[in-house]
Amino acid sequence: MISVEEALARTTEAFSPLPGEEVSLEKALGRVLAEDAYAAVSHPPTDVSAMDGYAVRAKDVAQVPVSLSVMGEAPAGGAYKDEVMSGQAVRIFTGGTVPQGADTIIIQENTERNGETVMVVKGARDGTYIRRQGMDFKTDEVGLKAGRRLAPRDIAFAAAMNLSHLTVRRKPSIAILSTGNELILPGKTPGPNRIPGSNGPGLAAFVDSCGGNPMDLGIAPDDEKALAALATGAKDSDLLVTSGGVSVGDHDIVRDALGRHGLKVNFWGVAMRPGKPLLFGHFSGVPFLGFPGNPVATLVCATVYLRPAIDAMLGVCDGRTEEISARLTCNLDANDERQCYLRAHLSTDREGNMTATPLPKQDSAMISILSQANGLLIRPPNAQAAKVGECVTVIPLAGRHAG
Ligand code: AMP
Ligand code: MG
């Protein structure tokens, strides 16, 4: 059995960034930039006012109160064409271009308007409330770097850079095949000894949340021919993920059955709990991850191996699985040689410290417990017993798209 690190290194190595494709900004959320995005304009394009008020010459307002002649207006989207001379002011609004000759904005609140004149009651130094040309960004600067997963604020930034389209990585196509004679589609009436298959929908949602395109190949019975036939549906995918049938039972046929139909095994078995029988290789040239069928094992393996695989195909710059430190709220026994991923509840104590509480039941069949958890507490191989208050490493699961 190899270690989690070794397994992760071997799986991740099999993937490289996919080609780019152009998408409109409306379709770009959550996608990963394949190329740097350059600003097509500067922002602001000229020196502009940051406030509603009057554009003046600083020298004119060194002594206040002072009365200035209002010569015209500079609204956002417009401009005052002439130069502001001594003794003059121009009514200006936020975003309006600062007219020539003016070097200071007096905010409206510090003035009294009287017809064609304005009384400045409080002065301001040279440059006050002026946003300089290119202060935010300049034409041809790299605004967003390749490898960035685009958030709503990045979409706004791209639009501000006057870009309507961005080049992002093609979404990896991930084929998902569930195996097991006992499985039915969720919502169907279960016959005797049948259970709804939860790994297919879970993995599809997981892939989606990572920025991949899930392709459900359905449920294969524990039968070589049927399994191999369904697995060939993955031939144009970037990765085939199966669940179930990789353990040591008589009906765990995936390795042998697919082995006779083009599966080349890289490794089988990892020192982890849950997830020990993880199988990795290539099926007719397509990278292949065979996850154990227990629902928690499947989703733990997805978190540890599938997300990094998708990240590698997307070329994300911060592809490492997020790990945080948290304080234990209970004692833990010493660990054996397998790295454990305990379903845990993360919280914050009164002092603001992150805390981790392993949930009382850790059976890898219990999807309800994984659903309740918001973290996976990592117990490294051979970890010594740990006491309340000690720091442990946790993979957070909470968030809009918890993995
Ligand atoms: P296996 O890895 O095929 O030996 O399956 C281990 C356990 O996980 C068995 O109790 C299976 O019934 C269960 N299992 C396998 N696949 C699924 C699935 N897609 N959804 C829910 N449970 C499953
Ligand atoms: Mg099975």
Side-chain angles (χ1 to χ4, degrees), residues 13-34:
E13 202 185 30
F15 302 96
S16 47
L18 298 174
E21 62 185 19
E22 226 180 53
V23 293
S24 65
L25 290 191
E26 300 86 81
K27 302 275 180 209
L29 180 66
R31 303 295 297 271
V32 178
L33 268 187

Side-chain angles (χ1 to χ4, degrees), residues 179-182 222 243-246 251-252 293:
T179 75
N181 288 338
E182 72 280 29
D222 298 318
S243 83
V246 289
H251 302 279
D252 294 326

